[in-house]
Amino acid sequence: MVLGLWLAVAAVSLFWTPWSLWWTDGYHVWQKPSPSHILGTDGTGADVLSWLMAGSRTNLLICVLTVLVTAVFGLLLLAAMLARTALFAQASVVVIDALISLPTVLIALILAVPFGPSVAVIVAACGFGYGLNLARIARPQAMLVARSGYVESALSNGASAASVFSRHVIPNIMPIMMVQLSISAGTVVLAESGLTYLGIGVQSGVPSWGHSLATSVTFINVYPITVVWPGLIITCVVLALNVFGDALRDCADPLSNPELRAVRGRVEASKGSEAEYV
Amino acid sequence: MRFLLRRLALLLAALFGMSVLIFLALRILPGDVASVMAGLNATPARVARLRQELGLNRSYLQQYFEWAGNVVHGNLGISVLTGRDVGVQIVSRMQITFPLILIGLLIACLIGIPLGAASIVARSARVRQSLHLLALTGGAIPALWGAMLLILLFSKGSGLIALFPSQGFPDAGWAQAGSALASLMLPAVTVGIIVGSSIMRYTRSALQEMLSSEFVDMGMACGMTRVQAVLRIGLRVVSPQLVSVIGLTFAEMITGVMVIENLFALPGIGSMLVTDVGNRDLLTVQSELFVLAAFFLCIGFVVDVLHRVLDPRLKGAGLLATAGGAQ
């Protein structure tokens, strides 16, 4: 429900916000919530609610793009790890293990040096990091599929490796992937707020929740209540995405198969360690 | 022993690869190092002189080997902008970041493990569910916001209940242990809550796995109650995994606390990196990034070895088996 609301608000904000984003009023700064400005105004007299509504579409964009990058990158890595050439497959496993210990903040920092802060930096850094995670987590399941009888028979009937990957491997790892992607979508919202605060996320002037949070934090001593709204929204959305991921796993749990028990332990294990502190 | 040697070789290879990657990342990507460092309004002559001074006009290979050689000898270079030794800088920053992380992790474990276990063994389903929801909520709070709320509640100055300072670190450092500790309290609690909820979720799912395992069945067959069996046997069986996760979390927190260090104006590792990136002090950033990356890789190594030692079942498993299990 929260997610649906999010989509709706993002769509509405494309056409209409209660006040123009750039409409500022030097005489009415830091106004308390009132009927005309439902959540009050900020330090330049701009309407807080309008900025948050506009922010929802930036965050939605970041979320969708990151999920796409994560999925594509993760699947590519997975394909590399299942490669027929043993040396190549092993090498990619080792490389992924080495890279996975790099926090996304660090990757974002490296990228922000030459490119400057932008939405693209967030998407690239998070997509890269979460893609690694996805590949790592889906690997045991994918390996089981790759060694299975039906893959063997498909191969012996002359199916190409690419078609086996898309016809057999991908559908089989779909549940794990969906759960992981919904968690990634939540994590990137958190990451956005942290990175933007550090000045390596969304550029200033672009509305986003992280931006609203970061600007209100600067003025905490002046008018503390503005801090509450963006944080509350982020928490609700991320919580909704996490619960969604949970529900998704519960209804699409193919791992009740006892053979796959060990895999499940591992999936949960890696889920637990994926926290974002930024 | 054989495992140790192979894992060590992997560590060295990863360190080498990482150094090349960081070196190249700061050079191949658009924006020449010298012109970025000189700033937007620099004249071409100034850029050329800077390039000469920093030795950036030599071939990449020469530059890399000089830098790598220095790093191997423990010489991380001297910042061109501030004139300070990067190595000394990192060590002094660590004195703040490390205690912060340790206290945060301690709080996290104190919150996470008991509550995680409780969300499995609690008798009423409603309690179990609400504990799980609590863990999810904890993981959904942006660090920045959580810290803000704590400041509003507990800080001296703007808080409702003035308990702890919200800004800065005493100049005297750890000589004034009391006030140093007090200034770390709010940030550590913020970190503790966020990391704690992730440890809580992890404990929960690991123990859930245990619920239907033969270990718990065995304990119950020997006369323990279900709760006893889960807590006394289940927890012990999952402890190697818990240790791995906590170890990796520890490594991630070094940069994870960046936002919090900035917010509370603590001069730690994270705020150092952000400042240097902001100042475009690229050669310093290069060394700092490498030291941090090396640190993560080393922690990964220690965690893998530790996991191996703690979990005798892994004896005889291949190299890659632990690498996968540790995560």
Side-chain angles (χ1 to χ4, degrees):
Chain A
M1 207 196 74
V2 176
L3 298 181
L5 197 65
W6 181 18
L7 283 177
V9 170
V12 167
S13 76
L14 279 179
F15 308 108
W16 177 82
T17 48
W19 294 82
S20 158
L21 286 185
W22 308 113
W23 186 88
T24 56
D25 180 350
Y27 294 109
H28 296 99
V29 296
W30 300 119
Q31 281 207 336
K32 294 218 160 58
S34 66
S36 61
H37 297 279
I38 297 176
L39 295 181
T41 58
D42 70 5
T44 56
D47 184 45
V48 171
L49 181 65
S50 304
W51 272 83
L52 288 178
M53 283 177 68
S56 64
R57 78 189 159 212
T58 314
N59 280 69
L60 190 62
L61 180 76
I62 291 176
C63 253
V64 171
L65 285 181
T66 309
V67 165
L68 278 180
V69 172
T70 306
V72 170
F73 185 60
L75 285 178
L76 280 179
L77 288 175
L78 204 59
M81 288 195 293
L82 294 177
R84 311 300 286 292
T85 329
L87 190 68
F88 183 63
Q90 288 235 323
S92 50
V93 173
V94 170
V95 169
I96 290 173
D97 275 341
L99 287 180
I100 213 164
S101 57
L102 280 186
T104 43
V105 199
L106 211 55
I107 303 171
L109 263 179
I110 298 177
L111 286 178
V113 173
F115 293 113
S118 73
V119 171
V121 166
I122 303 180
V123 172
C126 292
F128 182 78
Y130 305 159
L132 286 171
N133 254 324
L134 175 68
R136 171 73 158 291
I137 286 162
R139 190 176 87 103
Q141 169 84 6
M143 291 293 266
L144 279 181
V145 178
R147 290 202 203 101
S148 69
Y150 49 88
V151 163
E152 203 172 311
S153 76
L155 284 175
S156 63
N157 279 329
S160 69
S163 83
V164 165
F165 190 71
S166 62
R167 301 254 324 259
H168 299 295
V169 176
I170 292 185
N172 267 296
I173 58 165
M174 227 14 161
I176 297 186
M177 216 169 106
M178 296 311 289
V179 171
Q180 202 55 36
L181 288 180
S182 77
I183 293 170
S184 301
T187 319
V188 77
V189 175
L190 290 182
E192 188 267 332
S193 75
L195 291 176
T196 304
Y197 175 68
L198 292 177
I200 48 182
V202 174
Q203 306 97 312
S204 60
V206 176
S208 81
W209 295 334
H211 182 258
S212 298
L213 187 56
T215 38
S216 63
V217 160
T218 330
F219 295 105
I220 180 172
N221 289 325
V222 191
Y223 191 55
I225 290 297
T226 23
V227 169
V228 174
W229 312 118
L232 201 60
I233 292 181
I234 295 176
T235 309
C236 289
V237 166
V238 177
L239 182 61
L241 283 167
N242 284 351
V243 171
F244 181 63
D246 250 30
L248 214 60
R249 188 185 45 223
D250 288 344
C251 66
D253 189 15
L255 304 177
S256 37
N257 182 344
E259 210 183 333
L260 300 180
R261 266 270 181 68
V263 181
R264 165 145 81 175
R266 228 176 252 175
V267 172
E268 303 265 327
S270 0
K271 234 191 85 185
S273 69
E274 187 183 312
E276 191 73 54
Y277 322 102
V278 282
Chain B
M1 200 57 218
R2 181 135 172 275
F3 164 76
L4 206 65
L5 285 179
R6 287 186 65 177
R7 189 63 186 77
L8 203 62
L10 183 61
L11 173 69
L12 290 179
L15 280 179
F16 172 72
M18 200 53 79
S19 69
V20 174
L21 203 72
I22 290 175
F23 180 84
L24 287 181
L26 294 180
R27 278 170 183 72
I28 284 186
L29 296 173
D32 167 65
V33 175
S35 53
V36 170
M37 287 182 69
L40 283 177
N41 311 323
T43 57
R46 161 114 181 81
V47 174
R49 211 178 67 226
L50 195 62
R51 190 170 292 146
Q52 182 75 38
E53 277 170 22
L54 299 178
L56 291 172
N57 46 3
R58 292 166 305 161
S59 74
Y60 283 167
L61 216 56
Q62 269 178 322
Q63 287 181 44
Y64 174 76
F65 277 114
E66 190 192 311
W67 175 61
N70 278 338
V71 169
V72 169
H73 287 110
N75 173 13
L76 295 172
I78 288 166
S79 161
V80 189
L81 285 183
T82 59
R84 269 181 267 172
D85 186 296
V86 179
V88 174
Q89 185 96 343
I90 292 181
V91 169
S92 76
R93 297 289 179 127
M94 272 292 178
Q95 289 171 356
I96 292 171
T97 302
F98 248 78
L100 170 62
I101 294 177
L102 283 180
I103 302 173
L105 207 55
L106 189 71
I107 297 175
C109 289
L110 286 179
I111 300 175
I113 297 177
L115 283 185
S119 67
I120 284 296
V121 298
R123 197 155 297 164
S124 112
R126 190 166 296 161
V127 172
R128 289 200 300 266
Q129 291 222 320
S130 43
L131 278 175
H132 183 47
L133 200 65
L134 184 71
L136 286 180
T137 316
I141 296 177
L144 188 55
W145 193 56
M148 267 357 277
L149 293 186
L150 282 180
I151 289 183
L152 286 178
L153 284 178
F154 296 118
S155 73
K156 280 185 187 155
S158 54
L160 291 177
I161 313 163
L163 275 183
F164 300 109
S166 69
Q167 290 286 305
F169 194 75
D171 291 331
W174 286 101
Q176 291 175 301
S179 59
L181 209 58
S183 64
L184 287 185
M185 258 351 263
L186 283 182
V189 170
T190 318
V191 174
I193 290 175
I194 292 167
V195 176
S197 65
S198 112
I199 291 184
M200 183 171 161
R201 261 179 305 172
Y202 178 75
T203 312
R204 176 181 181 270
S205 55
L207 279 183
Q208 186 141 50
E209 202 56 27
M210 277 297 123
L211 264 186
S212 54
S213 72
E214 56 272 42
F215 300 106
V216 168
D217 291 347
M218 181 68 194
M220 285 168 72
C222 291
M224 289 181 173
T225 64
R226 192 170 194 78
V227 172
Q228 276 178 331
V230 169
L231 292 185
R232 289 176 53 183
I233 300 179
L235 261 185
R236 200 173 303 166
V237 175
V238 298
S239 63
Q241 292 171 327
L242 277 181
V243 169
S244 304
V245 167
I246 293 172
L248 292 180
T249 310
F250 175 77
E252 266 175 43
M253 278 162 77
I254 301 264
T255 49
V257 294
M258 230 178 230
V259 167
I260 299 198
E261 277 175 2
N262 258 291
L263 182 64
F264 287 97
L266 295 173
I269 290 280
S271 54
M272 167 185 78
L273 255 182
V274 174
T275 316
D276 286 339
V277 168
N279 289 341
R280 308 266 158 220
D281 196 351
L282 291 194
L283 294 180
T284 311
V285 171
Q286 175 178 312
S287 295
E288 288 167 354
L289 282 180
F290 178 71
V291 170
L292 284 182
F295 183 77
F296 296 128
L297 293 173
C298 290
I299 293 270
F301 171 72
V302 171
V303 162
D304 269 5
V305 172
L306 210 61
H307 195 200
R308 196 83 168 184
V309 173
L310 286 176
D311 197 342
R313 285 173 296 174
L314 284 174
K315 232 172 236 166
L319 177 71
L320 297 175
T322 9
Q327 166 91 59

